[in-house]
Every structure is written in C-alpha cells, then in structure tokens.
Coordinates of all heavy atoms in Angstrom, one line a residue:
M1 N 0.8 -1.2 0.0 CA 0.0 0.0 0.0 C 0.9 1.2 0.0 O 1.9 1.3 0.7 CB -0.9 0.0 1.2 CG -1.9 1.1 1.2 SD -3.1 1.1 2.6 CE -3.9 -0.5 2.4
E2 N 0.5 2.2 -0.8 CA 1.3 3.5 -0.9 C 1.0 4.4 0.3 O 0.1 4.3 1.0 CB 1.0 4.2 -2.2 CG 1.4 3.3 -3.4 CD 1.1 4.1 -4.7 OE1 0.9 5.3 -4.7 OE2 1.0 3.4 -5.7
L3 N 1.9 5.4 0.4 CA 1.8 6.4 1.4 C 0.4 7.2 1.4 O -0.2 7.4 2.4 CB 2.9 7.4 1.3 CG 2.9 8.5 2.4 CD1 3.1 8.0 3.8 CD2 4.0 9.5 2.1
S4 N 0.0 7.5 0.2 CA -1.3 8.2 0.0 C -2.5 7.3 0.6 O -3.4 7.9 1.2 CB -1.6 8.5 -1.4 OG -1.6 7.4 -2.2
G5 N -2.4 6.0 0.4 CA -3.4 5.2 1.0 C -3.4 5.2 2.5 O -4.5 5.2 3.1
W6 N -2.2 5.2 3.1 CA -2.1 5.2 4.5 C -2.6 6.5 5.1 O -3.3 6.6 6.2 CB -0.7 5.0 5.0 CG -0.3 3.5 4.9 CD1 0.6 3.0 4.0 CD2 -0.8 2.4 5.6 NE1 0.7 1.7 4.1 CE2 -0.2 1.3 5.2 CE3 -1.7 2.3 6.7 CZ2 -0.4 0.0 5.7 CZ3 -1.9 1.1 7.2 CH2 -1.3 -0.1 6.7
I7 N -2.3 7.6 4.4 CA -2.8 8.9 4.8 C -4.3 9.0 4.8 O -5.0 9.5 5.7 CB -2.2 10.1 4.0 CG1 -0.7 10.1 4.3 CG2 -2.8 11.4 4.2 CD1 0.1 11.0 3.3
L8 N -4.9 8.5 3.7 CA -6.4 8.5 3.6 C -7.0 7.6 4.7 O -8.1 8.0 5.2 CB -6.8 8.0 2.2 CG -6.6 8.9 1.0 CD1 -7.0 8.3 -0.3 CD2 -7.4 10.2 1.2
I9 N -6.4 6.5 5.0 CA -7.0 5.6 6.0 C -6.9 6.3 7.4 O -7.8 6.2 8.2 CB -6.2 4.3 6.0 CG1 -6.6 3.5 4.8 CG2 -6.5 3.5 7.3 CD1 -5.9 2.2 4.5
G10 N -5.7 7.0 7.6 CA -5.6 7.7 8.9 C -6.6 8.8 9.0 O -7.2 9.0 10.1
L11 N -6.8 9.6 8.0 CA -7.8 10.6 8.0 C -9.2 10.0 8.2 O -10.1 10.6 8.9 CB -7.8 11.5 6.7 CG -8.7 12.6 6.6 CD1 -8.5 13.6 7.8 CD2 -8.5 13.3 5.3
A12 N -9.5 8.9 7.5 CA -10.8 8.3 7.6 C -11.1 7.8 9.1 O -12.2 8.0 9.6 CB -10.9 7.1 6.7
V13 N -10.1 7.2 9.7 CA -10.2 6.7 11.1 C -10.5 7.9 12.0 O -11.4 7.8 12.9 CB -9.0 5.9 11.5 CG1 -9.0 5.7 13.0 CG2 -8.9 4.6 10.7
F14 N -9.8 9.0 11.8 CA -10.0 10.2 12.6 C -11.4 10.7 12.4 O -12.1 11.0 13.4 CB -9.0 11.3 12.3 CG -9.3 12.6 12.9 CD1 -9.0 12.7 14.3 CD2 -9.9 13.6 12.2 CE1 -9.3 13.9 14.9 CE2 -10.2 14.8 12.9 CZ -9.9 15.0 14.2
L15 N -11.9 10.8 11.2 CA -13.3 11.3 11.0 C -14.3 10.3 11.6 O -15.3 10.8 12.1 CB -13.5 11.5 9.5 CG -12.8 12.7 8.8 CD1 -13.1 12.6 7.3 CD2 -13.3 14.0 9.4
L16 N -14.1 9.1 11.4 CA -15.1 8.1 11.9 C -15.1 8.1 13.5 O -16.2 8.1 14.1 CB -14.7 6.7 11.4 CG -15.0 6.4 10.0 CD1 -14.4 5.1 9.5 CD2 -16.5 6.5 9.7
M17 N -14.0 8.2 14.1 CA -13.9 8.3 15.6 C -14.5 9.6 16.1 O -15.3 9.6 17.0 CB -12.5 8.2 16.1 CG -11.9 6.8 15.9 SD -10.2 6.6 16.4 CE -10.1 7.5 17.9
D18 N -14.2 10.7 15.4 CA -14.7 12.0 15.8 C -16.3 12.1 15.7 O -16.9 12.5 16.6 CB -14.1 13.1 15.0 CG -14.5 14.5 15.4 OD1 -14.3 14.8 16.6 OD2 -15.0 15.2 14.6
S19 N -16.8 11.6 14.6 CA -18.2 11.7 14.4 C -18.9 10.7 15.3 O -20.0 11.0 15.9 CB -18.6 11.4 12.9 OG -18.2 10.1 12.6
S20 N -18.4 9.5 15.6 CA -19.0 8.6 16.5 C -19.0 9.2 17.9 O -20.0 9.0 18.6 CB -18.2 7.3 16.5 OG -18.2 6.7 15.2
M21 N -17.9 9.8 18.3 CA -17.9 10.3 19.7 C -18.8 11.5 19.8 O -19.5 11.7 20.9 CB -16.4 10.7 20.0 CG -15.6 9.5 20.3 SD -13.8 9.9 20.6 CE -13.9 11.0 22.1
S22 N -19.0 12.3 18.8 CA -19.9 13.4 18.9 C -21.4 13.0 18.9 O -22.2 13.6 19.5 CB -19.7 14.4 17.7 OG -20.1 13.8 16.5
I23 N -21.7 11.8 18.3 CA -23.0 11.3 18.3 C -23.3 10.7 19.7 O -24.3 10.9 20.3 CB -23.2 10.3 17.2 CG1 -23.3 11.0 15.8 CG2 -24.5 9.5 17.4 CD1 -23.3 10.1 14.6
I24 N -22.3 9.9 20.2 CA -22.5 9.2 21.5 C -22.5 10.2 22.7 O -23.3 10.1 23.5 CB -21.4 8.1 21.6 CG1 -21.6 7.0 20.6 CG2 -21.4 7.5 23.0 CD1 -20.5 6.1 20.5
L25 N -21.4 11.0 22.7 CA -21.3 11.9 23.9 C -22.0 13.2 23.8 O -22.3 13.9 24.8 CB -19.8 12.2 24.1 CG -18.9 11.0 24.4 CD1 -17.5 11.4 24.5 CD2 -19.4 10.2 25.7
G26 N -22.4 13.6 22.6 CA -23.2 14.8 22.4 C -22.5 16.1 22.7 O -21.4 16.3 22.3
D27 N -23.2 17.0 23.3 CA -22.8 18.4 23.6 C -21.5 18.5 24.4 O -20.7 19.3 24.1 CB -23.9 19.1 24.3 CG -23.7 20.6 24.2 OD1 -23.5 21.2 23.1 OD2 -23.8 21.3 25.3
R28 N -21.3 17.6 25.3 CA -20.1 17.6 26.1 C -18.9 17.5 25.3 O -17.9 18.2 25.4 CB -20.1 16.5 27.2 CG -21.1 16.8 28.3 CD -21.0 15.7 29.3 NE -21.4 14.4 28.6 CZ -21.2 13.2 29.0 NH1 -20.5 13.0 30.2 NH2 -21.5 12.1 28.4
Y29 N -18.9 16.5 24.3 CA -17.8 16.3 23.5 C -17.5 17.4 22.5 O -16.4 17.8 22.3 CB -17.9 15.0 22.7 CG -16.8 14.7 21.7 CD1 -15.6 14.4 22.1 CD2 -17.0 14.9 20.3 CE1 -14.5 14.2 21.2 CE2 -16.0 14.7 19.4 CZ -14.8 14.3 19.9 OH -13.8 14.1 19.0
M30 N -18.6 18.0 22.0 CA -18.5 19.0 21.0 C -17.9 20.3 21.6 O -17.2 21.1 20.9 CB -19.8 19.3 20.3 CG -20.3 18.2 19.5 SD -21.8 18.5 18.5 CE -22.9 19.2 19.5
R31 N -18.2 20.6 22.8 CA -17.7 21.8 23.5 C -16.4 21.6 24.2 O -15.8 22.5 24.7 CB -18.7 22.3 24.5 CG -20.0 22.8 23.8 CD -21.0 23.4 24.7 NE -22.2 23.6 24.1 CZ -22.5 24.8 23.4 NH1 -21.6 25.7 23.3 NH2 -23.7 24.9 22.9
W32 N -15.9 20.4 24.3 CA -14.6 20.1 25.0 C -13.5 20.7 24.3 O -13.2 20.6 23.1 CB -14.4 18.5 25.0 CG -13.2 18.1 25.7 CD1 -12.8 18.3 26.9 CD2 -12.1 17.4 25.0 NE1 -11.6 17.7 27.2 CE2 -11.1 17.1 26.0 CE3 -11.9 16.9 23.8 CZ2 -10.0 16.5 25.8 CZ3 -10.7 16.2 23.5 CH2 -9.8 16.0 24.5
G33 N -12.7 21.5 25.1 CA -11.5 22.2 24.5 C -11.8 23.4 23.7 O -10.9 24.0 23.2
L34 N -13.0 23.8 23.7 CA -13.4 25.0 22.9 C -12.8 26.3 23.5 O -12.5 27.2 22.8 CB -14.9 25.1 22.7 CG -15.4 26.1 21.7 CD1 -14.9 25.7 20.3 CD2 -16.9 26.1 21.7
G35 N -12.6 26.3 24.8 CA -12.1 27.5 25.5 C -10.6 27.8 25.1 O -10.2 29.0 25.3
S36 N -9.9 26.9 24.6 CA -8.5 27.1 24.2 C -8.3 27.4 22.7 O -7.2 27.3 22.2 CB -7.6 25.9 24.7 OG -8.1 24.8 24.0
T37 N -9.4 27.6 22.0 CA -9.3 27.9 20.6 C -9.4 29.4 20.3 O -9.9 30.1 21.2 CB -10.4 27.1 19.8 OG1 -11.6 27.5 20.3 CG2 -10.2 25.6 20.0
P38 N -9.0 29.8 19.1 CA -9.1 31.3 18.8 C -10.6 31.7 18.8 O -11.5 30.9 18.7 CB -8.6 31.4 17.4 CG -7.7 30.2 17.2 CD -8.3 29.1 18.1
A39 N -10.8 33.0 19.1 CA -12.1 33.6 19.2 C -13.0 33.4 18.0 O -14.2 33.1 18.1 CB -12.0 35.1 19.6
F40 N -12.5 33.5 16.8 CA -13.3 33.4 15.6 C -13.8 32.0 15.5 O -14.9 31.7 15.1 CB -12.5 33.8 14.3 CG -11.5 32.8 13.9 CD1 -11.8 31.8 13.0 CD2 -10.2 32.9 14.4 CE1 -10.8 30.9 12.6 CE2 -9.2 32.0 14.0 CZ -9.5 31.0 13.1
Y41 N -13.0 31.0 15.9 CA -13.4 29.6 15.8 C -14.5 29.3 16.9 O -15.4 28.6 16.6 CB -12.2 28.7 16.0 CG -12.5 27.2 15.9 CD1 -12.8 26.7 14.6 CD2 -12.6 26.4 17.0 CE1 -13.1 25.3 14.5 CE2 -12.9 25.0 16.8 CZ -13.1 24.5 15.6 OH -13.5 23.2 15.4
Q42 N -14.3 29.9 18.0 CA -15.3 29.7 19.1 C -16.7 30.3 18.6 O -17.7 29.6 18.8 CB -14.9 30.5 20.4 CG -13.8 29.8 21.1 CD -13.4 30.6 22.3 OE1 -14.1 31.5 22.7 NE2 -12.3 30.2 22.9
R43 N -16.7 31.4 18.0 CA -17.9 32.0 17.5 C -18.5 31.2 16.4 O -19.8 30.9 16.4 CB -17.7 33.4 17.0 CG -17.4 34.5 18.0 CD -17.5 35.9 17.5 NE -16.5 36.1 16.4 CZ -15.2 36.5 16.6 NH1 -14.8 36.7 17.8 NH2 -14.4 36.7 15.5
L44 N -17.7 30.6 15.5 CA -18.2 29.8 14.5 C -18.8 28.5 15.0 O -20.0 28.1 14.6 CB -17.1 29.4 13.5 CG -17.4 28.3 12.5 CD1 -18.4 28.8 11.4 CD2 -16.1 27.8 11.8
M45 N -18.2 27.9 16.0 CA -18.7 26.7 16.6 C -20.0 26.9 17.4 O -20.9 26.1 17.4 CB -17.7 26.0 17.5 CG -16.5 25.5 16.7 SD -16.9 24.5 15.2 CE -17.5 23.1 15.9
E46 N -20.1 28.1 18.1 CA -21.3 28.4 18.8 C -22.4 28.6 17.9 O -23.6 28.2 18.2 CB -21.1 29.7 19.6 CG -20.2 29.5 20.8 CD -20.7 28.5 21.9 OE1 -21.9 28.4 22.0 OE2 -19.9 27.9 22.5
R47 N -22.2 29.2 16.7 CA -23.3 29.3 15.7 C -23.7 27.9 15.2 O -24.9 27.7 15.0 CB -22.8 30.2 14.5 CG -22.7 31.6 14.9 CD -22.2 32.5 13.8 NE -23.1 32.4 12.6 CZ -22.7 32.8 11.4 NH1 -21.5 33.4 11.3 NH2 -23.4 32.7 10.4
I48 N -22.8 27.0 15.0 CA -23.1 25.7 14.6 C -23.9 24.9 15.6 O -24.9 24.2 15.3 CB -21.8 24.9 14.1 CG1 -21.3 25.5 12.9 CG2 -22.1 23.4 14.0 CD1 -19.9 24.9 12.5
Y49 N -23.5 25.1 16.9 CA -24.2 24.4 18.0 C -25.6 24.8 18.2 O -26.4 24.1 18.7 CB -23.4 24.6 19.3 CG -22.0 24.0 19.3 CD1 -21.1 24.6 20.1 CD2 -21.7 23.0 18.5 CE1 -19.8 24.1 20.1 CE2 -20.4 22.4 18.5 CZ -19.4 23.0 19.3 OH -18.2 22.5 19.3
K50 N -25.9 26.0 17.7 CA -27.3 26.6 17.8 C -28.2 26.1 16.7 O -29.4 26.4 16.8 CB -27.3 28.1 17.8 CG -26.6 28.7 19.1 CD -26.6 30.2 19.0 CE -25.9 30.7 20.3 NZ -25.8 32.2 20.2
L51 N -27.7 25.3 15.8 CA -28.6 24.7 14.7 C -29.5 23.7 15.3 O -29.3 23.2 16.4 CB -27.7 24.0 13.7 CG -26.8 24.9 12.8 CD1 -25.9 24.1 12.0 CD2 -27.6 25.9 12.0
P52 N -30.7 23.5 14.7 CA -31.6 22.5 15.2 C -30.9 21.1 15.3 O -30.0 20.8 14.5 CB -32.7 22.5 14.1 CG -32.6 23.7 13.3 CD -31.1 24.1 13.4
P53 N -31.4 20.3 16.3 CA -30.8 19.0 16.5 C -30.8 18.1 15.3 O -29.8 17.3 15.1 CB -31.6 18.4 17.6 CG -32.3 19.5 18.3 CD -32.4 20.6 17.3
V54 N -31.8 18.2 14.4 CA -31.8 17.3 13.2 C -30.7 17.7 12.3 O -30.0 16.9 11.7 CB -33.2 17.4 12.6 CG1 -33.2 16.7 11.2 CG2 -34.3 16.9 13.5
T55 N -30.5 19.0 12.2 CA -29.4 19.5 11.3 C -28.0 19.1 11.8 O -27.2 18.7 11.1 CB -29.5 21.0 11.1 OG1 -30.8 21.4 10.7 CG2 -28.5 21.6 10.1
L56 N -27.9 19.2 13.1 CA -26.6 18.8 13.7 C -26.3 17.3 13.5 O -25.2 16.9 13.2 CB -26.6 19.0 15.2 CG -26.2 20.4 15.7 CD1 -26.3 20.6 17.2 CD2 -24.8 20.7 15.2
L57 N -27.4 16.5 13.7 CA -27.2 15.0 13.4 C -26.9 14.8 11.9 O -26.0 13.9 11.6 CB -28.5 14.3 13.8 CG -28.5 12.8 13.6 CD1 -27.4 12.1 14.5 CD2 -29.8 12.2 13.9
G58 N -27.5 15.5 11.1 CA -27.1 15.4 9.6 C -25.7 15.8 9.4 O -25.0 15.1 8.6
L59 N -25.1 16.8 10.0 CA -23.7 17.1 9.9 C -22.8 16.0 10.4 O -21.8 15.7 9.8 CB -23.4 18.4 10.6 CG -23.9 19.7 10.0 CD1 -23.7 20.9 10.9 CD2 -23.3 20.0 8.7
K60 N -23.2 15.4 11.5 CA -22.4 14.4 12.1 C -22.4 13.1 11.2 O -21.4 12.5 11.0 CB -22.9 14.0 13.5 CG -22.8 15.1 14.5 CD -23.5 14.8 15.8 CE -23.5 15.9 16.8 NZ -24.2 15.6 18.0
L61 N -23.6 12.8 10.7 CA -23.7 11.7 9.8 C -22.9 11.9 8.4 O -22.4 11.0 7.9 CB -25.1 11.3 9.5 CG -25.9 10.7 10.7 CD1 -27.4 10.5 10.4 CD2 -25.2 9.5 11.2
S62 N -22.9 13.2 8.0 CA -22.2 13.5 6.8 C -20.7 13.3 7.0 O -20.0 12.8 6.1 CB -22.4 15.0 6.4 OG -23.8 15.2 6.1
E63 N -20.2 13.7 8.2 CA -18.8 13.5 8.5 C -18.5 12.0 8.6 O -17.4 11.6 8.1 CB -18.5 14.1 9.9 CG -17.1 14.0 10.3 CD -16.8 14.5 11.7 OE1 -17.7 14.8 12.5 OE2 -15.6 14.6 12.1
M64 N -19.4 11.2 9.1 CA -19.2 9.8 9.1 C -19.2 9.2 7.7 O -18.3 8.3 7.4 CB -20.3 9.1 10.0 CG -20.0 7.6 10.3 SD -21.2 6.9 11.4 CE -20.6 7.6 12.9
S65 N -20.0 9.7 6.9 CA -20.1 9.2 5.5 C -18.8 9.5 4.8 O -18.3 8.7 4.0 CB -21.3 9.8 4.7 OG -22.5 9.5 5.3
A66 N -18.3 10.7 5.0 CA -17.0 11.1 4.4 C -15.9 10.2 4.9 O -15.0 9.8 4.1 CB -16.7 12.6 4.7
G67 N -15.9 9.8 6.2 CA -14.9 8.9 6.7 C -15.0 7.6 6.0 O -13.9 7.0 5.7
V68 N -16.2 7.1 5.8 CA -16.3 5.8 5.2 C -15.8 5.8 3.7 O -15.1 4.9 3.3 CB -17.8 5.3 5.3 CG1 -18.0 4.1 4.4 CG2 -18.2 5.0 6.7
L69 N -16.2 6.9 3.0 CA -15.7 7.1 1.7 C -14.2 7.1 1.6 O -13.6 6.4 0.8 CB -16.3 8.3 1.1 CG -15.9 8.7 -0.4 CD1 -16.4 7.6 -1.3 CD2 -16.4 10.0 -0.8
L70 N -13.5 7.9 2.5 CA -12.1 8.0 2.5 C -11.5 6.6 2.9 O -10.4 6.3 2.3 CB -11.6 9.0 3.5 CG -11.8 10.5 3.0 CD1 -11.4 11.4 4.2 CD2 -11.1 10.8 1.8
L71 N -12.1 5.9 3.7 CA -11.6 4.6 4.1 C -11.6 3.6 2.9 O -10.6 2.9 2.6 CB -12.4 3.9 5.2 CG -12.0 2.6 5.8 CD1 -10.6 2.8 6.5 CD2 -13.0 2.1 6.8
F72 N -12.7 3.6 2.1 CA -12.7 2.8 0.9 C -11.7 3.3 -0.1 O -11.1 2.5 -0.8 CB -14.1 2.7 0.3 CG -15.0 1.8 1.1 CD1 -16.2 2.3 1.6 CD2 -14.7 0.5 1.3 CE1 -17.1 1.5 2.3 CE2 -15.6 -0.4 2.0 CZ -16.8 0.2 2.5
L73 N -11.5 4.6 -0.3 CA -10.6 5.1 -1.2 C -9.1 4.7 -0.8 O -8.3 4.4 -1.7 CB -10.7 6.6 -1.4 CG -11.9 7.1 -2.1 CD1 -12.0 8.6 -2.1 CD2 -11.9 6.6 -3.6
G74 N -8.9 4.8 0.5 CA -7.5 4.5 1.0 C -7.2 3.0 0.8 O -6.0 2.6 0.7
M75 N -8.2 2.2 0.9 CA -8.0 0.7 0.9 C -7.9 0.2 -0.5 O -7.4 -0.9 -0.8 CB -9.0 0.0 1.7 CG -9.0 0.3 3.1 SD -10.3 -0.5 4.1 CE -9.7 -2.2 4.1
S76 N -8.3 1.0 -1.5 CA -8.3 0.5 -2.9 C -7.0 0.8 -3.6 O -6.2 1.4 -3.2 CB -9.5 1.1 -3.7 OG -9.4 2.5 -3.7

C-alpha cells in the first residue's frame, strides 16, 4: 500500500472516531476544549451548536459518510 493510501486511512479513522464520539457523547464532546481555541473559531462553533438537532445530526452523519468514503478510497 502506498503512502497516500495510509494517509487516507488515517484521516478516515479520525473522521469516523470524531463523528462517532460526537453522536455518542453529544454536547459535552463538541464543546470540549473550545475555550483554548481562537475567538473566531469559538464564534463559528457556537453558531453551529445553535442549529436544530436534526441539522446537527445530519452534519455528524455527513462527517461519518466522508470517513467511510475515504476509508474505501484508501484501501483500494
């Protein structure tokens, strides 16, 4: 397997773990560590957190789908 495949697999694993943890742990996980980020990023994330729950779940599932796609691309 080439280096690009390993990089895609690593990114896929990260995305899958991140989306899974945000679905399982919810708001606590999403806000964890936000205080140590730049102010513009904090404002952006606060705007995202205020979205309706169905929209947030859609974003999390989209992240998971992207992880699955990258995993298949990295393994091929």
Side-chain angles (χ1 to χ4, degrees):
M1 186 177 297
E2 295 182 19
L3 179 62
S4 60
W6 286 110
I7 292 171
L8 287 176
I9 290 173
L11 183 59
V13 168
F14 173 76
L15 287 176
L16 289 169
M17 289 175 46
D18 184 56
S19 63
S20 298
M21 288 177 58
S22 68
I23 290 171
I24 293 168
L25 299 177
D27 194 50
R28 290 180 299 164
Y29 175 73
M30 293 190 311
R31 294 183 189 274
W32 177 61
L34 195 58
S36 61
T37 59
F40 74 92
Y41 184 74
Q42 288 178 11
R43 288 190 303 270
L44 172 69
M45 295 311 291
E46 289 296 329
R47 288 178 56 196
I48 291 173
Y49 298 152
K50 291 179 184 176
L51 292 173
V54 174
T55 307
L56 275 176
L57 181 61
L59 288 172
K60 294 171 188 178
L61 292 175
S62 298
E63 180 183 13
M64 190 174 282
S65 299
V68 170
L69 178 65
L70 287 176
L71 185 64
F72 283 123
L73 288 174
M75 294 178 75
S76 62

